[in-house]
Amino acid sequence: VKAAAELRLHDADELPRSRLYLRARISFARGLRLSTPLRGDVLTALMDWHQLIGAALPPGLRQRGSLASEARWMKICEAWASVWARRGIPAGKLRERVVAVDGLWKLASA
């Protein structure tokens, strides 16, 4: 039994270490959300989050109404696309995704 336990402990040392992956996600309506890539680096994940939240809640936010909401929505989409562009996603694919999500947002906010 002792030899088996020692063998298991030895094998456990050779197993790959677990990794923690993080992403930022911002939700607007039921089923409508934008997520950043999964990141193994905490600092990069926090930078992604900061970019999204900075677009969603800019300093001095005082405007209300549909025009302010539309402008904020566009800034969030731009920030989201920028995060994914740094990950290497082609601009054409990002535009397609923004157009699709924009249509859903307009339906949800109507």
Side-chain angles (χ1 to χ4, degrees):
V1 174
K2 182 179 177 185
E6 287 175 357
L7 180 61
R8 290 185 70 96
L9 287 174
H10 176 69
D11 290 344
D13 289 338
E14 295 176 8
L15 293 175
R17 298 284 180 205
S18 296
R19 291 191 43 114
L20 177 66
Y21 291 93
L22 303 169
R23 77 165 28 139
R25 179 174 286 161
I26 188 166
S27 297
F28 302 95
R30 197 171 275 146
L32 178 59
R33 64 180 171 241
L34 295 174
S35 300
T36 62
L38 283 171
R39 304 287 194 174
D41 175 47
V42 174
L43 183 58
T44 304
L46 287 173
M47 288 172 42
D48 292 348
W49 173 83
H50 187 264
Q51 189 168 356
L52 279 183
I53 203 69
L57 301 171
L61 178 66
R62 293 173 196 241
Q63 291 181 315
R64 296 181 190 259
S66 62
L67 288 178
S69 295
E70 181 78 22
R72 190 173 328 133
W73 171 250
M74 291 311 300
K75 287 191 179 297
I76 292 166
C77 286
E78 289 169 8
W80 174 85
S82 173
V83 167
W84 279 98
R86 284 196 319 265
R87 183 70 185 252
I89 303 298
K93 280 193 172 265
L94 290 171
R95 273 192 298 277
E96 289 173 11
R97 179 71 176 134
V98 167
V99 167
V101 172
D102 187 52
L104 292 172
W105 180 78
K106 288 178 180 172
L107 286 174
S109 63

